[in-house]
Amino acid sequence: MIRIGRWRGLLCLVIVAILCGFFVEGRAASRQLPAIAATLGLMACLVVGLLRQKRRYAAWLCVCMAISALSFACGAWRETQRPVWINAWLGQPVLAEGVLEQVTASRGGPLWSLEVTRLRAVADASVWEPCQVTVLWPADNPGHPLQPGDKVALAGVLTAPSRPLLPWQPPEYGFRGRIRQLSAPSPSLEGWLHSRMDERLAEFVPSAQAGNVPLLDSLVFGNGQVESDLHQEFLRAGLLHVLAASGANVVLLLSALSLLLRPLRWLYPHSLPFYVVKLAFLCEFTRLCGGQPSIVRAALMAAYREVGVAWGRAPKTLDGMLVAACAMAIWQPSTLLGLSAWLSFAATAAIQHALSHAPRVAGRGLRQRLWAKALEALWVCLMVEAWLTPFTLLVFHQLTPYALLANLLAEPLLTLLLPLATVTDALALLPQVAPTVLLARGLLTVTLALLHVFLQWTRWVANLPGALVEAQVGNLSLIAAWYVLLLLSPQVRKFAVQVWTSVDKNR
């Protein structure tokens, strides 16, 4: 049986090898590199195994080298099938087919973000090259009404990519050209559910609050179109992560589903159907969120935990995070190279680190429990800001000093707001009979009241002087020293407690 430490190390080895193969193959390697790496790795394993047969770690070393070689080849093969670096196509007249994602503002005008799925040279009318590239297209006056989700075919020239925020992050290429073909997206179950929910909620919401329906959609599923002024307020308050669906959505909604299923367990003692319902909910919610990397990561971690509990074990958060990262690396390595994935994993690790080192409050009374929960929430917010602020400052060159203050009230409000908004969306999909309509209107009224408090709090924090500070990091050693201090702080605190205890005993 594999030990826990070796199991985690093996997962980390697989993840790193896949990402290295994916990155190297895309940036500068030849097509034969995966086969060469796999062959050399297997030959090295054979040599080491023959030379060190009497050593205990020889077999384990051979296994590690073989797995690393195969993982490297897997990552390189993934990038070959769906390249994300296409520098060879720069400056050539090409035909590009993809899906419109969103429009962003820039100094030169609006830019459409296009997810290109395949390319073809204009001179060659038969060979299409599959890819997975983000292209920025300045469609100032395309002559066609464009909507997110439309399938387009463009004819033009690829331009130099923009500089990515991280050195290993896939770049966003530019495109200069015109539309050759435009088609509406094929109807899907997820799109039909979203449109039906929005239509029903628009009927229930008063006309003065009709603009809050996209905001509720963004809070729950992370794909609502929020106004630019409101987006800027969330940015200044340090709550921009709320508009993008994250792992907190999955955790809160799964907890609410568990509470709803708890009375049914008294009637049906077997627990297997309830675990199947939870796993089905995780799959469908991930599809409704459009397969965002943060939601996929959180859903995989939650599914890993549910499977472990069903087997009578209590898996750790670190193991779930490694399993989720390994699954994402095998299925689509580019999701682990993006900035959102790194922020998501860093936030999860910071929360887990904060919970494992949270201060304890003695006592079992109601007052002590409430005080313990409040202290734990404050500690988690403080540790998340301590771990993520230097990273965001280094990447985005922005600092939100009041983010901790904003999250102190925003997190409890979201704990109530997200389940209420989700239940309201579910009721909007049911047949509109009298009890369903009354219950949906009542829940929607409570949800809008909480949303109003949440928006007022966000607006107040965003309007504080110095809410958003533009800053440039001049010395990277200071950030490195800060993270070293955070890593060593538990050991320093433990050593100080031991010294104080020994001094007190001597007294």
Side-chain angles (χ1 to χ4, degrees):
M1 185 176 179
I2 301 178
R3 297 178 182 177
I4 297 297
R6 290 183 177 181
W7 167 256
R8 293 171 180 169
L10 190 61
L11 286 178
C12 293
L13 181 63
V14 170
I15 296 169
V16 172
I18 290 177
L19 293 182
C20 289
F22 187 82
F23 182 79
V24 172
E25 169 65 20
R27 293 300 293 262
S30 62
R31 297 286 181 175
Q32 294 78 17
L33 184 60
I36 295 174
T39 304
L40 292 178
L42 293 176
M43 290 179 62
C45 292
L46 180 61
V47 172
V48 172
L50 293 176
L51 295 179
R52 301 189 177 184
Q53 291 182 354
K54 298 182 180 179
R55 300 290 182 90
R56 292 183 177 180
Y57 59 87
W60 178 247
L61 183 61
C62 292
V63 170
C64 291
M65 294 185 65
I67 290 177
S68 62
L70 293 177
S71 301
F72 185 91
C74 175
W77 177 76
R78 278 292 183 185
E79 208 284 328
T80 304
Q81 297 299 312
R82 290 286 180 179
V84 296
W85 288 278
I86 52 172
N87 295 332
W89 294 80
L90 292 178
Q92 297 184 15
V94 295
L95 302 179
E97 291 186 355
V99 179
L100 293 175
E101 293 293 332
Q102 60 182 357
V103 61
T104 57
S106 64
R107 295 180 180 178
L111 292 175
W112 275 98
S113 179
L114 177 68
E115 294 295 328
V116 178
T117 56
R118 61 178 189 166
L119 290 169
R120 177 173 70 84
V122 174
D124 193 345
S126 59
V127 180
W128 285 92
E129 292 289 341
C131 61
Q132 186 182 354
V133 184
T134 301
V135 169
L136 298 179
W137 173 48
D140 297 332
N141 187 14
H144 300 276
L146 300 178
Q147 297 292 334
D150 290 344
K151 297 180 180 179
V152 297
L154 303 179
V157 179
L158 281 173
T159 60
S162 60
R163 184 178 181 182
L165 297 176
L166 298 176
W168 59 83
Q169 186 179 5
E172 293 181 343
Y173 292 85
F175 192 89
R176 301 287 181 181
R178 57 183 178 83
I179 293 180
R180 293 183 66 251
Q181 187 177 359
L182 175 66
S183 60
S186 57
S188 61
L189 177 60
E190 290 75 21
W192 179 81
L193 291 175
H194 279 295
S195 61
R196 187 174 178 84
M197 285 188 294
D198 293 341
E199 291 175 0
R200 291 292 175 82
L201 292 180
E203 295 175 1
F204 298 155
V205 173
S207 58
Q209 298 181 348
N212 291 330
V213 174
L215 180 57
L216 287 176
D217 199 17
S218 181
L219 291 178
V220 178
F221 303 106
N223 53 5
Q225 300 296 325
V226 182
E227 297 179 358
S228 58
D229 295 338
L230 186 59
H231 187 276
Q232 187 66 21
E233 289 181 356
F234 275 88
L235 173 62
R236 293 177 60 84
L239 297 174
L240 195 59
H241 61 278
V242 174
L243 298 179
S246 62
N249 298 44
V250 177
V251 173
L252 291 175
L253 297 179
L254 191 61
S255 301
L257 180 62
S258 300
L259 290 177
L260 293 176
L261 295 177
R262 183 175 298 178
L264 298 178
R265 293 191 175 185
W266 299 340
L267 303 176
Y268 191 79
H270 301 285
S271 58
L272 181 59
F274 299 101
Y275 289 114
V276 173
V277 170
K278 291 180 181 180
L279 294 178
F281 165 76
L282 291 175
C283 294
E284 187 58 31
F285 184 75
T286 303
R287 291 178 60 185
L288 287 174
C289 292
Q292 301 178 41
S294 58
I295 295 296
V296 173
R297 187 262 311 162
L300 289 174
M301 291 178 63
Y304 177 79
R305 183 181 182 279
E306 293 297 331
V307 172
V309 173
W311 281 352
R313 298 184 179 181
K316 295 184 178 180
T317 305
L318 177 61
D319 297 336
M321 188 164 57
L322 289 176
V323 169
C326 185
M328 294 173 66
I330 294 173
W331 181 254
Q332 194 173 356
S334 60
T335 57
L336 294 183
L337 296 177
L339 183 61
S340 60
W342 283 82
L343 287 175
S344 180
F345 278 100
T348 304
I351 292 173
Q352 178 63 21
H353 178 78
L355 292 177
S356 60
H357 298 85
R360 306 299 178 184
V361 177
R364 296 184 178 180
L366 179 60
R367 184 177 180 181
Q368 285 78 8
R369 291 181 180 178
L370 293 177
W371 173 246
K373 289 296 182 181
L375 187 61
E376 183 180 279
L378 176 62
W379 175 257
V380 169
C381 293
L382 180 62
M383 291 303 297
V384 169
E385 292 298 327
W387 280 97
L388 295 186
T389 298
F391 184 73
T392 55
L393 180 62
L394 176 64
V395 174
F396 298 107
H397 310 297
Q398 293 177 346
L399 188 64
T400 52
Y402 307 116
L404 177 61
L405 176 64
N407 281 280
L408 287 180
L409 185 59
E411 293 300 331
L413 287 175
L414 286 174
T415 305
L416 300 174
L417 188 59
L418 287 177
L420 287 175
T422 306
V423 174
T424 306
D425 290 338
L427 291 175
L429 298 175
L430 296 178
Q432 299 303 296
V433 295
T436 305
V437 174
L438 292 176
L439 185 57
R441 289 183 181 274
L443 288 178
L444 185 58
T445 302
V446 178
T447 303
L448 292 177
L450 290 175
L451 182 62
H452 177 72
V453 176
F454 181 78
L455 292 178
Q456 291 297 324
W457 172 254
T458 303
R459 188 170 293 110
W460 179 77
V461 175
N463 291 327
L464 291 176
L468 184 63
V469 179
E470 300 287 341
Q472 187 78 22
V473 179
N475 193 355
L476 297 180
S477 60
L478 296 178
I479 295 181
W482 173 257
Y483 281 117
V484 170
L485 180 63
L486 286 178
L487 290 173
L488 297 180
S489 57
Q491 287 75 12
V492 173
R493 184 180 61 182
K494 183 178 179 180
F495 177 75
V497 171
Q498 292 177 353
V499 171
W500 179 260
T501 304
S502 61
V503 171
D504 189 57
K505 288 182 179 180
N506 293 331
R507 289 180 181 176

mmCIF file of all heavy atoms in Angstrom, residues 99-104 111-114 136 148-149 225:
data_model
loop_
_atom_site.group_PDB
_atom_site.id
_atom_site.type_symbol
_atom_site.label_atom_id
_atom_site.label_comp_id
_atom_site.label_asym_id
_atom_site.label_seq_id
_atom_site.Cartn_x
_atom_site.Cartn_y
_atom_site.Cartn_z
ATOM 1 N N VAL A 99 -15.957 31.015 -30.999
ATOM 2 C CA VAL A 99 -17.153 31.463 -30.294
ATOM 3 C C VAL A 99 -16.843 32.778 -29.602
ATOM 4 O O VAL A 99 -15.799 32.921 -28.938
ATOM 5 C CB VAL A 99 -17.611 30.409 -29.262
ATOM 6 C CG1 VAL A 99 -18.844 30.889 -28.525
ATOM 7 C CG2 VAL A 99 -17.870 29.073 -29.942
ATOM 8 N N LEU A 100 -17.725 33.753 -29.739
ATOM 9 C CA LEU A 100 -17.562 35.035 -29.066
ATOM 10 C C LEU A 100 -17.844 34.871 -27.572
ATOM 11 O O LEU A 100 -18.859 34.289 -27.176
ATOM 12 C CB LEU A 100 -18.513 36.073 -29.659
ATOM 13 C CG LEU A 100 -18.238 36.502 -31.103
ATOM 14 C CD1 LEU A 100 -19.329 37.433 -31.594
ATOM 15 C CD2 LEU A 100 -16.884 37.191 -31.213
ATOM 16 N N GLU A 101 -16.947 35.396 -26.747
ATOM 17 C CA GLU A 101 -17.088 35.265 -25.301
ATOM 18 C C GLU A 101 -17.658 36.539 -24.675
ATOM 19 O O GLU A 101 -18.725 36.543 -24.087
ATOM 20 C CB GLU A 101 -15.739 34.929 -24.663
ATOM 21 C CG GLU A 101 -15.213 33.559 -25.045
ATOM 22 C CD GLU A 101 -16.060 32.429 -24.489
ATOM 23 O OE1 GLU A 101 -16.688 32.620 -23.424
ATOM 24 O OE2 GLU A 101 -16.102 31.360 -25.121
ATOM 25 N N GLN A 102 -16.934 37.640 -24.785
ATOM 26 C CA GLN A 102 -17.364 38.882 -24.160
ATOM 27 C C GLN A 102 -16.646 40.043 -24.826
ATOM 28 O O GLN A 102 -15.683 39.856 -25.565
ATOM 29 C CB GLN A 102 -17.066 38.870 -22.660
ATOM 30 C CG GLN A 102 -15.590 38.712 -22.331
ATOM 31 C CD GLN A 102 -15.318 38.665 -20.855
ATOM 32 O OE1 GLN A 102 -16.224 38.799 -20.050
ATOM 33 N NE2 GLN A 102 -14.071 38.473 -20.472
ATOM 34 N N VAL A 103 -17.124 41.241 -24.550
ATOM 35 C CA VAL A 103 -16.518 42.446 -25.081
ATOM 36 C C VAL A 103 -15.924 43.231 -23.917
ATOM 37 O O VAL A 103 -16.510 43.340 -22.845
ATOM 38 C CB VAL A 103 -17.562 43.302 -25.840
ATOM 39 C CG1 VAL A 103 -18.697 43.734 -24.935
ATOM 40 C CG2 VAL A 103 -16.895 44.513 -26.493
ATOM 41 N N THR A 104 -14.714 43.739 -24.105
ATOM 42 C CA THR A 104 -14.013 44.509 -23.089
ATOM 43 C C THR A 104 -13.618 45.860 -23.664
ATOM 44 O O THR A 104 -13.410 46.001 -24.875
ATOM 45 C CB THR A 104 -12.762 43.771 -22.601
ATOM 46 O OG1 THR A 104 -11.900 43.504 -23.730
ATOM 47 C CG2 THR A 104 -13.133 42.451 -21.943
ATOM 48 N N LEU A 111 -13.104 45.574 -27.628
ATOM 49 C CA LEU A 111 -12.452 44.371 -28.132
ATOM 50 C C LEU A 111 -13.315 43.162 -27.792
ATOM 51 O O LEU A 111 -13.694 42.969 -26.630
ATOM 52 C CB LEU A 111 -11.051 44.191 -27.516
ATOM 53 C CG LEU A 111 -9.974 45.193 -27.915
ATOM 54 C CD1 LEU A 111 -8.708 44.933 -27.119
ATOM 55 C CD2 LEU A 111 -9.676 45.106 -29.398
ATOM 56 N N TRP A 112 -13.599 42.355 -28.806
ATOM 57 C CA TRP A 112 -14.321 41.111 -28.589
ATOM 58 C C TRP A 112 -13.320 40.012 -28.294
ATOM 59 O O TRP A 112 -12.322 39.852 -28.987
ATOM 60 C CB TRP A 112 -15.149 40.729 -29.813
ATOM 61 C CG TRP A 112 -16.500 41.370 -29.856
ATOM 62 C CD1 TRP A 112 -16.850 42.488 -30.544
ATOM 63 C CD2 TRP A 112 -17.678 40.924 -29.181
ATOM 64 N NE1 TRP A 112 -18.174 42.778 -30.340
ATOM 65 C CE2 TRP A 112 -18.715 41.825 -29.505
ATOM 66 C CE3 TRP A 112 -17.965 39.858 -28.327
ATOM 67 C CZ2 TRP A 112 -19.999 41.692 -29.009
ATOM 68 C CZ3 TRP A 112 -19.251 39.715 -27.831
ATOM 69 C CH2 TRP A 112 -20.251 40.624 -28.172
ATOM 70 N N SER A 113 -13.590 39.237 -27.235
ATOM 71 C CA SER A 113 -12.767 38.077 -26.903
ATOM 72 C C SER A 113 -13.346 36.869 -27.627
ATOM 73 O O SER A 113 -14.496 36.490 -27.409
ATOM 74 C CB SER A 113 -12.750 37.849 -25.394
ATOM 75 O OG SER A 113 -11.986 36.711 -25.072
ATOM 76 N N LEU A 114 -12.551 36.268 -28.498
ATOM 77 C CA LEU A 114 -12.992 35.162 -29.338
ATOM 78 C C LEU A 114 -12.188 33.917 -28.982
ATOM 79 O O LEU A 114 -10.947 33.940 -29.013
ATOM 80 C CB LEU A 114 -12.800 35.512 -30.821
ATOM 81 C CG LEU A 114 -13.142 34.426 -31.838
ATOM 82 C CD1 LEU A 114 -14.638 34.169 -31.847
ATOM 83 C CD2 LEU A 114 -12.649 34.833 -33.222
ATOM 84 N N LEU A 136 -8.219 38.540 -29.483
ATOM 85 C CA LEU A 136 -8.871 39.834 -29.267
ATOM 86 C C LEU A 136 -9.114 40.489 -30.618
ATOM 87 O O LEU A 136 -8.174 40.752 -31.379
ATOM 88 C CB LEU A 136 -8.005 40.725 -28.378
ATOM 89 C CG LEU A 136 -7.746 40.188 -26.966
ATOM 90 C CD1 LEU A 136 -6.864 41.154 -26.186
ATOM 91 C CD2 LEU A 136 -9.041 39.933 -26.225
ATOM 92 N N PRO A 148 -22.732 37.486 -27.143
ATOM 93 C CA PRO A 148 -21.867 36.435 -26.586
ATOM 94 C C PRO A 148 -22.462 35.055 -26.833
ATOM 95 O O PRO A 148 -23.648 34.818 -26.658
ATOM 96 C CB PRO A 148 -21.833 36.769 -25.085
ATOM 97 C CG PRO A 148 -22.142 38.225 -25.008
ATOM 98 C CD PRO A 148 -23.095 38.507 -26.132
ATOM 99 N N GLY A 149 -21.613 34.143 -27.281
ATOM 100 C CA GLY A 149 -22.055 32.802 -27.618
ATOM 101 C C GLY A 149 -22.238 32.564 -29.103
ATOM 102 O O GLY A 149 -22.429 31.407 -29.518
ATOM 103 N N GLN A 225 -24.118 39.495 -16.995
ATOM 104 C CA GLN A 225 -23.542 40.712 -17.544
ATOM 105 C C GLN A 225 -23.822 41.872 -16.588
ATOM 106 O O GLN A 225 -24.943 42.355 -16.497
ATOM 107 C CB GLN A 225 -24.130 40.997 -18.931
ATOM 108 C CG GLN A 225 -23.866 39.889 -19.944
ATOM 109 C CD GLN A 225 -22.391 39.722 -20.245
ATOM 110 O OE1 GLN A 225 -21.636 40.691 -20.270
ATOM 111 N NE2 GLN A 225 -21.981 38.485 -20.470
#
